[in-house]
Amino acid sequence: MGTFKRVGAVLGLMVLTGCATVKSQRLRPDYATVDRLQVKRLAVVTQPFPQGQQYIGDLWSLIARQWLNQNRDYIVKANTSLPERPTDPTFKDQCVEGIEGVLWLDPAVKRVGDGAEVAVRAQLIRCRDGEEVWAAEAGGSWDSEDKKYVERKEQYVTELGQEVEPYVVPSYKLLVATLDTLPSPELNDADKEEKIDLGE
């Protein structure tokens, strides 16, 4: 497991500039020959809850699941959020049958003015041996209102409740910038059928 520096102190100095910074990212050097072909079916876990609020954790996991299913060739089958920091770096509890990797999101969220400062440490862990496949660290600040995201915000508010409303836009923009650095696996014909059946 790699180590990351906490970004909370840095976020405290940021203003609502409306930009995301992917501060670091790494990918296994053998990704193209190993994990691209073997780690396709994922579970997403946001752990711990940001600010102790499960609804924010649920929002992050749902955004990540849907974005990966729609924009990468992963088959994300499960998403959850948990209150405490993970004690098992291999995420055996999430590595149930049919899951080949766990995308772990470690969030930092703070309301500021009309928006939020958000940061994430993300890792993709493969289930067969608990090894890191990919990791990234990012942070940014955004207003909660953005005309381009009105429908998306309504979707998440309808699904998760009104309390997620101020966090949707900042969380979505941060997670998209972060997950955009994650490469796609290669799906065979059976995998493609399974992805279609997933319906996302």
Side-chain angles (χ1 to χ4, degrees):
M1 295 283 290
T3 57
F4 291 92
K5 294 179 182 176
R6 292 303 298 169
V7 295
V10 174
L11 285 180
L13 302 174
M14 296 174 69
V15 296
L16 295 177
T17 57
C19 60
T21 302
V22 178
K23 296 173 174 55
S24 66
Q25 66 180 79
R26 56 184 178 264
L27 182 68
R28 290 184 68 86
D30 60 357
Y31 177 81
T33 57
V34 179
D35 298 295
R36 183 171 65 94
L37 306 173
Q38 298 176 7
V39 180
K40 309 171 188 179
R41 293 161 183 82
L42 306 183
V44 177
V45 58
T46 301
Q47 187 176 5
F49 300 152
Q51 299 178 323
Q53 302 295 331
Q54 182 172 354
Y55 61 85
I56 306 177
D58 290 345
L59 173 68
W60 278 47
S61 291
L62 184 59
I63 289 171
R65 173 183 177 151
Q66 292 178 341
W67 192 88
L68 286 175
N69 278 333
Q70 294 164 6
N71 296 278
R72 291 292 186 269
D73 286 332
Y74 290 100
I75 302 167
V76 187
K77 301 174 114 180
N79 56 286
T80 189
S81 61
L82 299 169
E84 305 296 332
R85 294 203 65 76
T87 56
D88 175 12
T90 65
F91 292 92
K92 287 188 183 74
D93 289 347
Q94 307 297 327
C95 286
V96 297
E97 185 176 350
I99 298 296
E100 298 158 346
V102 173
L103 175 66
W104 172 40
L105 303 175
D106 181 2
V109 177
K110 180 182 177 184
R111 284 297 307 275
V112 177
D114 293 328
E117 293 176 345
V118 287
V120 66
R121 296 184 303 157
Q123 281 185 302
L124 177 58
I125 306 298
R126 66 184 178 208
C127 286
R128 63 181 167 83
D129 58 7
E131 288 292 312
E132 178 187 282
V133 174
W134 163 91
E137 182 176 352
S141 302
W142 289 272
D143 288 335
S144 296
E145 299 297 327
D146 188 322
K147 291 178 182 178
K148 296 178 183 176
Y149 293 83
V150 171
E151 290 182 12
R152 194 173 304 279
K153 186 191 292 189
E154 288 176 356
Q155 169 202 336
Y156 289 116
V157 167
T158 298
E159 191 158 347
L160 298 172
Q162 188 63 41
E163 59 266 24
V164 304
E165 189 270 338
Y167 301 101
V168 171
V169 172
S171 300
Y172 191 88
K173 289 181 176 181
L174 173 75
L175 290 171
V176 168
T178 306
L179 297 174
D180 199 41
T181 70
L182 182 62
S184 271
E186 182 176 317
L187 302 184
N188 59 34
D189 288 343
D191 298 332
K192 290 174 184 176
E193 289 294 326
E194 183 179 352
K195 187 169 177 69
I196 290 168
D197 290 343
L198 197 63
E200 289 186 351

